[in-house]
Amino acid sequence: MNPKTILSFLIQLAILPACFAQHPNEAAVDYHLPDVLRTQSGKEINTVADWEKIRRPEITALFEKNVQGKTPVKNIPLRFVPLSVSHNALNGTATRKQVRVYFSRNEKYYMDILLYLPNKKNKPVPVFVGLNFGGNQVVNADTGILISKRWVKYATEPAYKNHLGTAASRGVQSNDWCVEKIIAAGYGVATVYYGDLQPDSVNSVNAGVAPLFYTKGQKEPAADEWGAIGVWAWGLSRVLDYMETDGDIDAKKVIVIGHSRLGKTALWAGAQDQRFAMVISNNSGEGGAAITRRKYGETIAVMNKAFPHWFCGNFKKYNDKEDELPVDFHELIALIAPRPVYIASASQDQWADPLGEYLSGWYATPVYALYGLKGLSTPVPPGISQPVGDGVIGYHLRKGEHAITPYDWDQYIRFANRFFNK
Ligand code: GCU
């Protein structure tokens, strides 16, 4: 047995009784990860300088070419138009701003930022930013929020009618956002409906903002160019561009967060854009924090079949060929170093491979160590409701299903407080 197989075996012995015993395929899991600190040509990386000059750009380029696709650096001029401001939102505790960001003179290309900032503050505040699934109005029942006019994938009445949000959709995902809790903790929160950037449906590539990325005559992204996740992540960086212009926000303390497919997106945004000060992956699973070579739960082939629009054309080459992918997803976490990162799983979300999500933090730890920072201390994940991470990588396994809940937010706020608010 090679050392990784032995390690995998020991981990199984240690944790199976706790939470994974009901999943017989765990015993079959065996894999060999690419070494995060060795270049493709075999050079060992021992210093921060070599990591930042050689290996980090190499890994970023490998993800761009093979996984999410490259998003253009082409300078798209942004125009920020305030839509509304109220200093008396959420019972007077918060200021609500809504800002439209135009990406072109053609006014169909825009995204709407919804932003809440605590009124109790004496300096610019740190802010959580993430995309939402249902239109900005779903994040809180606040009737001042403009109802999105974009297509949504939901069609269940009365909240949605013909795939458009109605007044009944106000606040339907407020438990996912916990705006009041975030404000009370002294943070701002910003969100954009991901469908403002690209609809989450197959063949949607020309229905969002991506046509602005094309070179002359181009009709679709090349095999190594962006999928929807690349476009969504690009949008998160544009929210940060706005934040750098808003004096109420400390743009050096912006925490990018996402759940599930939007967790995959938050990781990619944080990996590419070093301005994000902290990154949170909530149940991001395959194509996010989970180690793909474990082939546990969802696999590349299954995901590419159900959601062919998420990743780039080249990613399809790795359907059922995880071991040939020149990267694995611990390296996506490593790209975030030295910034704090938090990975969260849920006990019943085996589809997202909780152990694989934890292990990506563990296998990214040597890169944090290069900076003299503490990552995770053991390959053995904690039990349910036992958050770990007194260094710069945090992790918890929440009891329950695939979701983002107030419990998750409590952990994120506690972790963020160590860096930004206390
Ligand atoms: C599906 C998909 C996952 C994804 C999830 C979500 O379950 O298989 O990869 O993370 O949807 O975004 O909710």
Side-chain angles (χ1 to χ4, degrees):
M1 269 205 266
N2 71 40
K4 278 206 179 114
T5 313
I6 295 170
L7 183 63
S8 165
F9 182 68
L10 290 175
I11 293 170
Q12 289 156 31
L13 278 186
I15 61 159
L16 275 174
C19 49
F20 294 97
Q22 68 276 35
H23 297 284
N25 64 337
E26 181 64 36
V29 170
D30 184 20
Y31 54 94
H32 306 273
L33 290 180
D35 184 343
V36 67
L37 288 178
R38 189 178 293 276
T39 65
Q40 290 214 297
S41 60
K43 178 179 161 59
E44 222 180 284
I45 302 294
N46 303 309
T47 64
V48 166
D50 278 358
W51 165 254
E52 291 186 354
K53 263 198 255 114
I54 303 170
R55 184 61 172 148
R56 187 168 75 189
E58 180 178 68
I59 293 174
T60 308
L62 289 170
F63 274 104
E64 283 178 339
K65 181 169 175 212
N66 299 290
V67 184
Q68 295 91 346
K70 195 171 170 55
T71 324
V73 282
K74 194 174 129 191
N75 212 359
I76 292 178
L78 307 180
R79 196 154 48 93
F80 306 126
V81 178
L83 298 178
S84 81
V85 179
S86 161
H87 295 288
N88 199 25
L90 310 178
N91 295 323
T93 59
T95 293
R96 179 205 334 105
K97 299 187 187 182
Q98 297 178 89
V99 180
R100 182 158 291 181
V101 181
Y102 287 106
F103 302 120
S104 156
R105 260 188 245 157
N106 179 339
E107 298 208 332
K108 75 174 188 185
Y109 298 111
Y110 70 84
M111 66 176 177
D112 284 345
I113 304 175
L114 167 67
L115 175 65
Y116 285 102
L117 297 165
N119 283 339
K120 216 162 103 192
K121 66 172 169 63
N122 45 25
K123 53 178 196 246
V125 288
V127 176
F128 287 92
V129 58
L131 300 173
N132 69 72
F133 284 98
N136 290 347
Q137 76 280 359
V138 304
V139 311
N140 194 276
D142 176 357
T143 52
I145 305 176
L146 301 164
I147 294 182
S148 169
K149 296 196 170 63
R150 305 273 198 190
W151 178 92
V152 273
K153 64 191 162 92
Y154 311 117
T156 38
E157 296 190 23
Y160 303 93
K161 198 159 189 230
N162 301 326
H163 294 278
L164 289 175
T166 70
S169 67
R170 290 190 179 285
V172 290
Q173 291 177 11
S174 55
N175 262 348
D176 299 15
W177 284 90
C178 299
V179 172
E180 287 84 356
K181 187 192 278 291
I182 299 169
I183 294 293
Y187 293 82
V189 55
T191 187
V192 166
Y193 171 49
Y194 75 149
D196 280 8
L197 296 152
Q198 182 168 323
D200 187 6
S201 63
V202 181
N203 298 326
S204 60
V205 65
N206 289 326
V209 301
L212 297 174
F213 302 161
Y214 288 151
T215 50
K216 206 156 183 282
Q218 191 175 359
K219 298 251 177 336
E220 58 179 37
D224 63 350
E225 291 184 321
W226 65 91
I229 285 178
V231 177
W232 298 330
W234 178 88
L236 284 165
S237 287
R238 304 294 72 80
V239 180
L240 191 44
D241 293 344
Y242 162 75
M243 288 180 166
E244 288 179 334
T245 71
D246 185 326
D248 292 331
I249 295 172
D250 186 342
K252 298 226 161 359
K253 296 182 179 168
V254 174
I255 304 157
V256 63
I257 179 166
H259 167 60
S260 208
R261 66 198 70 183
L262 296 179
K264 308 181 207 300
T265 304
L267 286 172
W268 183 228
Q272 292 179 99
D273 190 336
Q274 304 283 322
R275 294 174 302 164
F276 287 113
M278 174 173 152
V279 184
I280 302 174
S281 151
N282 191 89
N283 305 182
S284 63
E286 183 69 20
I291 300 282
T292 192
R293 278 168 171 72
R294 285 174 41 78
K295 305 176 191 91
Y296 184 101
E298 191 173 22
T299 62
I300 294 177
V302 168
M303 188 172 60
N304 277 336
K305 186 153 188 274
F307 307 101
H309 57 294
W310 284 356
F311 291 92
C312 73
N314 280 342
F315 197 42
K316 319 287 184 290
K317 292 187 193 158
Y318 302 99
N319 288 349
D320 301 316
K321 292 186 180 148
E322 284 80 358
D323 296 303
E324 290 175 23
L325 187 67
V327 285
D328 209 313
F329 287 79
H330 61 305
E331 294 175 304
L332 185 60
I333 306 298
L335 292 180
I336 295 163
R339 296 161 294 154
V341 59
Y342 198 107
I343 303 166
S345 310
S347 63
Q348 288 165 31
D349 188 17
Q350 295 297 320
W351 187 238
D353 187 12
L355 177 55
E357 292 182 312
Y358 175 82
L359 288 174
S360 67
W362 165 248
Y363 288 119
T365 289
V367 177
Y368 281 85
L370 272 190
Y371 287 89
L373 294 169
K374 185 171 173 206
L376 294 173
S377 342
T378 157
V380 181
I384 293 171
S385 306
Q386 292 167 22
V388 291
D390 53 355
V392 283
I393 305 182
Y395 177 86
H396 71 252
L397 177 67
R398 174 178 47 75
K399 184 169 166 42
E401 294 173 352
H402 183 71
I404 178 164
T405 70
Y407 173 87
D408 297 310
W409 278 103
D410 285 338
Q411 311 319 312
Y412 303 148
I413 290 169
R414 185 182 45 75
F415 188 70
N417 280 346
R418 288 203 3 246
F419 304 100
F420 304 132
N421 219 17
K422 291 282 157 311

